[in-house]
Amino acid sequence: MYALYAAVTALAAAVHGSAALANFVGHAYPKAEADRLGVPRSWMPLLGTALAAGALGLLAGFAVPGLGVAAGTGLVLYFVGALGAHVRAGDRRYGPWAFCFGLAVLALALRIAV
């Protein structure tokens, strides 16, 4: 069970950390998503910071389980908010969202289980 937790958490941290980096450097994909969903581009550094904190917190959870739980919870809430943005904008492209949300939920559930 620990091996599964470690693998999922490492993958979740890599995916969410990459998304944070894309927000920080102003990559075209998060800009296009923000425009399509009606999210101000001025929020991108803040959203990137939330993703980066979640990714680092998941990794810190290996040493301090409470941090892993807090980070996982924060990421789940982040993606619940992202779902709200998709719904508000009438966007039905949920694939990337579902993948990231699922990783966050699975990492949180495994951190709690281990």
Side-chain angles (χ1 to χ4, degrees):
M1 181 74 140
Y2 186 83
L4 179 62
Y5 156 69
V8 168
T9 299
L11 177 62
V15 167
H16 297 119
S18 296
L21 185 61
N23 277 302
F24 290 142
V25 301
H27 190 272
Y29 180 76
K31 283 181 179 177
E33 287 294 299
D35 292 344
R36 194 166 41 84
L37 298 177
V39 174
R41 285 191 181 184
S42 62
W43 291 12
M44 290 177 65
L46 217 83
L47 296 173
T49 301
L51 286 168
L56 291 173
L58 288 177
L59 295 176
F62 285 116
V64 183
L67 284 177
V69 171
T73 302
L75 284 170
V76 167
L77 292 174
Y78 175 95
F79 287 107
V80 167
L83 176 62
H86 281 271
V87 170
R88 181 181 52 86
D91 179 49
R92 300 211 191 295
R93 290 186 268 182
Y94 297 122
W97 170 85
F99 177 72
C100 291
F101 177 71
L103 271 178
V105 168
L106 191 55
L108 174 60
L110 289 170
R111 174 68 272 177
I112 291 170
V114 171

